[in-house]
Amino acid sequence: MSTKASPIFTGAAVAIVTPFYQDGSVNYDELGKIIEDQIANSTDAIVICGTTGEASTLSHEEHLDVIEYCVKCVNKRVPVIAGTGSNSTETAIYLSTEAEKRGADALLLVSPYYNKATQKGLYMHFKATADAVKIPVILYNVPGRTGCNILPKTVVDLAKDTENIVAIKEASGNISQIATLAALADGIIDIYSGNDDQIVPVLSLGGIGVISVLSNVAPKQTHDIVAKYLEGDVKGSTKLQLEAIDLVNSLFCEVNPIPVKHAMNMLGYAAGPLRMPLSPMEPANEDRLRASMKAYGLLK
């Protein structure tokens, strides 16, 4: 039976990009620079090798090297949460145990994609993976990318039966489902918004933060959305949330992380190119993104 521990983090965690050189290799120097800027601007945790970090195109060796580099660079200043999910349970266990050895503070496990497992299969997959490690686990529900929805009862069963499954990143976009989860969970699992346009709605249902794409370009502002809400300034938090909506929409006008990688390059970071099958941004969408960044005050 799980007993509720302290949260892995409260606030805004950045789902950080993985910068590449033009030849496609990982640009560790730039990753270090981005991590330093994130910590300096109040980011509450770093999620490395998630969707935004293009983990699906990294080899296992690269994946683990990037996690290890991030852990050493951060040096315990904020929690490092390693994305180690896979649609193969064996691979998820391998990546998770290796990330734990390399010093990750917690894991982010996406639901198995493509296989479209049943709820029983999801339970077995997540339990087997979490049982293979001692560090905390955040489940990641993003049906739009995986074709597979982790239902509230499955989440609660996992939290009750597995000591280190302690949180979920909810990116279903379905506020009704998140409300049902919060009611069923009754505080047994921490809920993070997985969508930047739903930070305040998820906080209103008892959520404690966000795992954010927006934080790559606006770390302080994203942190402040959560901080203000949790301090009781709901009106101030809501104002910041609504001010960011146009930029958030532009950051998702093509599949993530295409726009945010372009946005980082616009801000002067050497985020570099994307790995195929992701493609360069369409010019009209790039113009839209630039206009949104100007309106938000990120560009002159």
Side-chain angles (χ1 to χ4, degrees):
M1 179 75 177
S2 176
T3 54
K4 193 72 180 66
S6 299
I8 298 165
F9 76 94
T10 302
V14 60
I16 204 162
V17 298
T18 303
F20 297 130
Y21 289 110
Q22 289 304 313
D23 66 1
S25 60
V26 176
N27 184 342
Y28 286 101
D29 289 342
E30 194 65 13
L31 177 58
K33 180 184 171 187
I34 294 169
I35 289 168
E36 291 301 332
D37 285 355
Q38 285 289 321
I39 293 172
N41 284 282
S42 303
T43 283
D44 298 290
I46 309 279
V47 174
I48 191 79
C49 294
T51 307
T52 312
E54 297 178 75
S56 57
T57 64
L58 298 174
S59 69
H60 290 171
E61 185 180 19
E62 287 175 319
H63 193 136
L64 296 169
D65 285 349
V66 170
I67 291 168
E68 185 170 357
Y69 177 86
C70 181
V71 167
K72 287 178 178 173
C73 183
V74 171
N75 194 25
K76 297 293 181 186
R77 287 175 288 172
V78 296
V80 173
I81 301 158
T84 54
S86 173
N87 65 335
S88 158
T89 306
E90 185 180 358
T91 302
I93 289 171
Y94 167 71
L95 291 173
S96 297
T97 55
E98 288 297 318
E100 182 178 38
K101 288 176 193 172
R102 285 161 169 76
D105 297 294
L107 305 175
L108 181 69
L109 297 180
V110 71
S111 55
Y113 37 89
Y114 189 76
N115 316 56
K116 298 179 78 169
T118 63
Q119 295 303 302
K120 181 179 180 181
L122 291 173
Y123 177 94
M124 292 168 61
H125 169 83
F126 285 124
K127 183 147 181 39
T129 309
D131 282 346
V133 296
K134 292 184 171 64
I135 55 177
V137 167
I138 305 173
L139 306 177
Y140 180 15
N141 191 35
V142 59
R145 293 193 86 114
T146 64
C148 182
N149 186 20
I150 318 171
L151 294 177
K153 183 181 182 303
T154 306
V155 174
V156 174
D157 286 347
L158 281 162
K160 285 179 176 176
D161 298 346
T162 317
E163 190 171 351
N164 58 333
I165 292 180
V166 298
I168 184 167
K169 175 185 178 183
E170 239 299 346
S172 65
N174 184 340
I175 287 294
S176 298
Q177 175 170 308
I178 298 169
T180 299
L181 169 61
L184 274 180
D186 193 24
I188 197 173
I189 194 162
D190 292 323
I191 301 173
Y192 298 109
S193 176
N195 291 331
D196 285 311
D197 60 350
Q198 293 183 343
I199 303 172
V200 169
V202 171
L203 292 173
S204 77
L205 295 169
I208 63 167
V210 60
I211 295 176
S212 171
V213 174
L214 176 65
S215 281
N216 280 281
V217 297
K220 182 68 167 68
Q221 296 92 323
T222 313
H223 163 88
D224 287 350
I225 293 172
V226 182
K228 282 183 180 292
Y229 192 98
L230 297 179
E231 288 162 5
D233 184 5
V234 175
K235 190 172 181 180
S237 172
T238 303
K239 180 174 184 286
L240 292 177
Q241 169 80 91
L242 296 179
E243 285 173 352
I245 289 296
D246 178 62
L247 176 56
V248 170
N249 289 339
S250 293
L251 286 170
F252 288 89
C253 69
E254 290 187 24
V255 70
N256 179 50
I258 293 173
V260 74
K261 206 95 184 266
H262 279 258
M264 292 291 280
N265 285 322
M266 286 182 205
L267 289 174
Y269 290 100
L274 298 132
R275 285 189 176 179
M276 290 194 292
L278 297 182
S279 56
M281 207 169 180
E282 295 297 326
N285 288 331
E286 194 162 354
D287 289 345
R288 171 186 171 180
L289 176 62
R290 184 175 284 105
S292 294
M293 291 172 71
K294 284 181 179 176
Y296 194 69
L298 296 176
L299 294 174
K300 290 181 182 178

